[in-house]
Amino acid sequence: MNTFRIWDPLIRLFHWSLVAGFAANAVFTDPEHSLHEWVGYAVVALVAVRLAWGLVGTRYARFASFVPTPKAVTEQITDIATGRRSVHLGHTPLGALMIFNLLFVMLLIGLTGYMMTTNTYWGIEWVEDAHEMLVTWAEISIVLHIAAVLWESWRTGVNLPRAMVSGVKTVPVDAKLVE
Amino acid sequence: MIQTNRTDRPAMLIALILAQIVCAGFFVWDVVLDSGDVRNVWPIDPHFGIEAVAVIGLIAAVVFETRYLLHLLAHKARLERKVSVAASAFADVIEDHFHTWGLTRSELDIAWFTVKGFSIAEVARLRGSAEGTVKSHLNAIYRKAGVTSRGELLSLLIEDLMGETQDPSDMSAVSGTQAGLSTGHGRDAASQG
């Protein structure tokens, strides 16, 4: 087993804060209550920090290190299809697609949520529909994300949930490493 | 260009699958929303039933396409591996010949360059030697291989690619008439069976 320090503290803090923030607003807080709004703003702020960190952050935090090009995505699916066990030290291409999807949808949820607090859009039906639809999409994405993380952990032999807590990936010695 | 073509087709399929997942997500949301009100639910409203079936169809299509994609990529990877195995096997065959002919180190070098299609001038430049030197090495290679030209040298190597089972009697059949060709093969197959 080889160990690699991959996720910096800010990445991990961001990930689990986002989990807490989204879960709180999707399940627990009252949408009519101001707490819902404040948690929403906090989630948008978190995403903003993450976007900035993606430009100036540590190596594996940078967007440049996980651009999901069609070629990279195809290669990862080929790995899955052929049972090749190659381990990406940073985010995988498919994982990157999910990250950009989630970051984007979080911002849109925040935007439509904010619109409902303005005089112009308050009570407008399509804004409310869009807000709820985006939340459903985020929930579907999160289910897929968790399923994919568990599947990739099983497939590659790297415990990914633990890496997102400790920041360290423990990789089997016989695995082929991909940057 | 071939390279981009080969990678683009799966990429299109991947893009299509992703788009369909987004659509499926939208309709799942719609169905869940409709099911909240009992008046919308089948059998009271057939619209709901049709919508639910469409969603299931869409999800089934995504699953089917994903499986097809995995199959396609596995097949592609298998073919690529075969090609690389064949390429290295061909290189082995050539290497084998060179070894049998007892080529010296520089002759070996020049033989490889020649097989790869470099002209005498190019080989001389690549090796930093005079064209005359390359020519004399080349002549030594031809002499050891028992050929008189680059074309013959290549034919000799390519012959192996087409199957080493062709014996001289079979070759004589090929050089004969059309009728002789077919009977020659028939005889060959009969004698082998």
Side-chain angles (χ1 to χ4, degrees):
Chain A
M1 291 286 178
N2 297 322
T3 55
F4 301 90
R5 183 160 286 282
I6 306 293
W7 309 127
D8 64 60
L10 196 143
I11 289 287
R12 288 177 272 152
L13 191 67
F14 161 77
H15 180 271
W16 297 112
S17 305
L18 187 64
V19 170
F22 182 80
N25 262 6
V27 185
F28 301 114
T29 62
D30 174 7
E32 308 293 326
H33 199 274
S34 69
L35 179 64
H36 186 85
E37 287 172 23
W38 285 112
V39 172
Y41 293 140
V43 166
V44 171
L46 273 174
V47 173
V49 169
R50 179 66 186 91
L51 291 178
W53 197 238
L55 301 176
V56 299
T58 57
R59 183 176 169 192
Y60 293 107
R62 289 184 195 220
F63 297 133
S65 76
F66 55 94
V67 182
T69 61
K71 187 168 172 283
V73 170
T74 309
E75 262 168 36
Q76 192 191 354
I77 301 176
T78 303
D79 284 345
I80 294 169
T82 54
R84 274 201 299 251
R85 198 164 74 157
S86 29
V87 172
H88 292 257
L89 282 182
H91 293 299
T92 69
L94 285 172
L97 280 180
M98 182 52 88
I99 289 163
F100 290 120
N101 166 45
L102 283 171
L103 290 178
F104 188 57
V105 81
M106 288 301 151
L107 287 181
L108 286 181
I109 291 170
L111 176 68
T112 49
Y114 168 73
M115 282 165 79
M116 279 189 264
T117 68
T118 62
N119 282 331
T120 320
Y121 292 103
W122 187 83
I124 306 282
E125 201 179 356
W126 73 261
V127 181
E128 277 179 43
D129 279 352
H131 191 69
E132 283 173 25
M133 189 183 78
L134 289 165
V135 170
T136 307
W137 175 246
E139 286 167 349
I140 292 171
S141 298
I142 289 165
V143 169
L144 286 176
H145 170 64
I146 294 170
V149 163
L150 294 178
W151 153 266
E152 277 286 292
S153 296
W154 171 78
R155 189 176 75 82
T156 61
V158 181
N159 189 332
L160 296 175
R162 197 174 66 187
M164 195 40 87
V165 175
S166 67
V168 174
K169 278 193 180 180
T170 308
V171 181
V173 277
D174 61 329
K176 185 183 139 218
L177 294 180
V178 183
E179 278 301 303
Chain B
M1 204 177 90
I2 294 165
Q3 191 63 39
T4 51
N5 256 340
R6 280 209 320 236
T7 51
D8 271 356
R9 239 169 297 161
M12 286 296 291
L13 189 55
I14 293 165
L16 182 70
I17 291 171
L18 291 178
Q20 285 184 334
I21 290 173
V22 173
C23 294
F26 175 80
F27 284 111
V28 165
W29 168 75
D30 198 40
V31 166
V32 170
L33 207 67
D34 284 354
S35 68
D37 191 338
V38 78
R39 280 166 303 178
N40 289 333
V41 178
W42 188 86
I44 300 165
D45 186 358
H47 174 82
F48 178 80
I50 294 168
E51 210 173 60
V53 169
V55 169
I56 293 166
L58 198 53
I59 292 171
V62 168
V63 171
F64 175 79
E65 281 166 5
T66 306
R67 287 181 60 126
Y68 176 71
L69 175 69
L70 291 179
H71 172 78
L72 190 75
L73 289 175
H75 183 65
K76 191 161 95 76
R78 211 158 41 233
L79 286 181
E80 279 168 3
R81 204 162 49 235
K82 271 188 192 160
V83 167
S84 94
V85 165
S88 74
F90 185 45
D92 284 348
V93 167
I94 295 176
E95 191 91 59
D96 227 41
H97 273 296
F98 289 173
H99 182 74
T100 329
W101 299 336
L103 301 186
T104 65
R105 287 260 305 259
S106 356
E107 285 168 359
L108 207 58
D109 248 22
I110 290 167
W112 271 117
F113 280 133
T114 305
V115 168
K116 285 180 176 170
F118 289 102
S119 69
I120 291 172
E122 281 169 328
V123 176
R125 209 180 52 243
L126 283 165
R127 287 178 50 84
S129 52
E131 284 190 29
T133 322
V134 175
K135 269 184 198 160
S136 71
H137 277 309
L138 209 50
N139 280 329
I141 295 166
Y142 291 163
R143 187 172 40 76
K144 288 177 178 175
V147 297
T148 55
S149 68
R150 178 199 288 257
E152 275 186 45
L153 179 73
L154 285 175
S155 307
L156 195 63
L157 296 170
I158 289 169
E159 216 173 49
D160 276 349
L161 250 196
M162 306 194 303
E164 287 172 287
T165 53
Q166 283 188 325
D167 55 17
S169 70
D170 203 29
M171 289 309 286
S172 70
V174 172
S175 63
T177 61
Q178 283 294 319
L181 182 83
S182 56
T183 53
H185 273 281
R187 204 185 324 122
D188 192 45
S191 66
Q192 276 181 2

